[in-house]
Amino acid sequence: MPRPTKPRWVEFYPDVTYFKPAGTPMSDLDEIALGVDEFEALRLKDFVGLEQEECAERMNLAQSTFQRIVTQARTKVASALVQGKAIRIQGGNFLVSPRGYVCQDCKQEWVSQSPGDTYSVCPACGSEQVDVFRKVPTGPPRRGRRGMGGHGRHRRGAGRGNERT
């Protein structure tokens, strides 16, 4: 049985979620659905210009999973452009990343309780010197290559004193 898909973290939910070729009636168009997580992968990599490793970290994914998502998204967008199809951004397995804040005066940090919350004044000292940052989601450690060496594969029991000789 495969593992359940872990939700991807997105920092930006688009206001505009539908794009269509000009001059073609809606009734004549085919659509391609682009998931919100795929849209976020394109935004981080191609629009913001981050390195793949940082994109994966911000979406709380393994780097290989991020690569698969961004490749799939690029294929869908290219297909829509070449074949004259509409693009609808909707769905996907995602959570909106909480927004973090830090006060420049007292160095207090806090995280919004819901995606729509915004703060312009520090709740601890009342200062208006508040900066916004995105909190990197915490969760169980990702499986994969990081910290394992080689290709991320190991023998059962390796590293626990059970090495085969």
Side-chain angles (χ1 to χ4, degrees):
M1 178 177 202
R3 289 177 49 192
T5 304
K6 169 168 80 165
R8 289 89 159 99
W9 286 85
V10 300
E11 299 173 358
F12 178 82
Y13 192 88
D15 293 329
V16 178
T17 58
Y18 199 84
F19 299 88
K20 75 173 209 63
T24 306
M26 295 281 286
S27 59
D28 294 343
L29 283 175
D30 288 331
E31 278 185 4
I32 290 184
L34 186 68
V36 175
D37 54 337
E38 294 170 322
F39 174 81
E40 177 73 351
L42 285 175
R43 186 186 75 83
L44 291 174
K45 182 67 180 140
D46 298 331
F47 182 72
V48 177
L50 300 177
E51 293 296 323
Q52 184 172 308
E53 186 174 315
E54 187 175 355
C55 295
E57 186 175 305
R58 285 174 67 163
M59 289 184 72
N60 199 31
L61 299 171
Q63 195 170 345
S64 58
T65 302
F66 176 82
Q67 178 63 44
R68 190 176 72 255
I69 291 169
V70 79
T71 300
Q72 185 175 353
R74 287 173 175 164
T75 301
K76 288 180 178 183
V77 170
S79 173
L81 293 174
V82 170
Q83 297 173 342
K85 296 181 179 181
I87 301 171
R88 180 183 303 274
I89 301 170
Q90 69 177 16
N93 187 13
F94 70 95
L95 294 172
V96 178
S97 178
R99 183 172 292 189
Y101 298 87
V102 62
C103 175
Q104 293 303 310
D105 290 337
C106 72
K107 306 302 181 207
Q108 175 75 25
E109 291 185 6
W110 66 97
V111 177
S112 62
Q113 298 303 310
S114 66
D117 289 349
T118 58
Y119 293 88
S120 58
V121 176
C122 175
C125 71
S127 170
E128 293 183 2
Q129 300 299 316
V130 174
D131 288 336
V132 178
F133 68 94
R134 287 292 182 174
K135 197 83 166 155
V136 175
T138 57
R142 295 189 304 256
R143 290 187 173 181
R145 299 172 68 155
R146 186 169 295 177
M148 297 178 99
H151 293 287
R153 298 181 182 141
H154 62 281
R155 294 187 318 272
R156 172 167 273 152
R160 298 183 200 123
N162 300 5
E163 288 84 356
R164 295 181 182 164
T165 56

